[in-house]
Amino acid sequence: IVDSVHGYPAGATAFSASPSGALLYLPPPLTGTIDWVDRAGAKHPVQIPRGTPGWPRLSPDGRYAAIHVGGPETRDVWILDLDRPGTLRQLTYRGGGFPVWSHDGRRIAFMSRQEGSGDLYTVLADGSGSPERIVAGARTKIPVSWSAAGVLAYYEIGEANQRDIIKLR
C-alpha cells in the first residue's frame, strides 16, 4: 500500500488505520513538517514542534489524529484537526507519548514519565480537564488499543526485550 513507513528501532512502525479505511502514516526521514494527504491526493503540510513525531493514531470518527512529538524524555501528545488541515493543538504539557483513542473518541490514553516511571494516563481529547493517572508502577507502560467494551490493552517493558501484554477495564 505504501512504500516507505517510518520504523522504530524496536520494530514498531508509525501508522494507524481508521474504521472507515483512512490510513495515517509517517514516512522517513522525519522533518519539521508532516503532510496530511486527503483522499483526492492533495498534500496539506502541518508544521510540528521541534522533535521527532511518532505513534500517529486516527480518531474513531476520522476527524482528528493524535501524535506524539519530541524525544524519549521530552515528548508530548498533539492533536491534528483533519477538517482544518494544518492545525495542531497540544494536549499534554508535562510529558506524554503513545496516544490511543477511546472507542467513542472522547478520551486519549497515553504514557507519561511526569511522576517517575512511564505510567498510564487518560485525558479528555478536547483538552478540558487534567490528565488522570490510571496505572502506576516501576515498569514503562505503552497503550496499544482501547476496545468498545472499555478494555484498554497495554504492554509493560521489562528487562532487555521483555514485553508483557496486559488489559485493564
Side-chain angles (χ1 to χ4, degrees), residues 114-151:
Q114 62 183 290
E115 295 186 42
S117 66
D119 295 333
L120 279 182
Y121 290 78
T122 63
V123 66
L124 291 169
D126 66 6
S128 64
S130 298
E132 174 187 355
R133 184 166 58 170
I134 59 170
V135 179
R139 294 168 46 163
T140 298
K141 292 153 269 320
I142 306 293
V144 291
S145 69
W146 201 338
S147 77
V151 176

Side-chain angles (χ1 to χ4, degrees), residues 10 12 55 98 111 118 120 139-145 152-158 162-167:
W55 207 259
F98 309 96
M111 182 277 295
L120 279 182
R139 294 168 46 163
T140 298
K141 292 153 269 320
I142 306 293
V144 291
S145 69
L152 178 63
Y154 64 96
Y155 66 87
E156 289 188 347
I157 301 173
Q162 179 188 356
R163 304 288 191 266
D164 294 322
I165 299 172
I166 301 165
K167 61 183 184 176

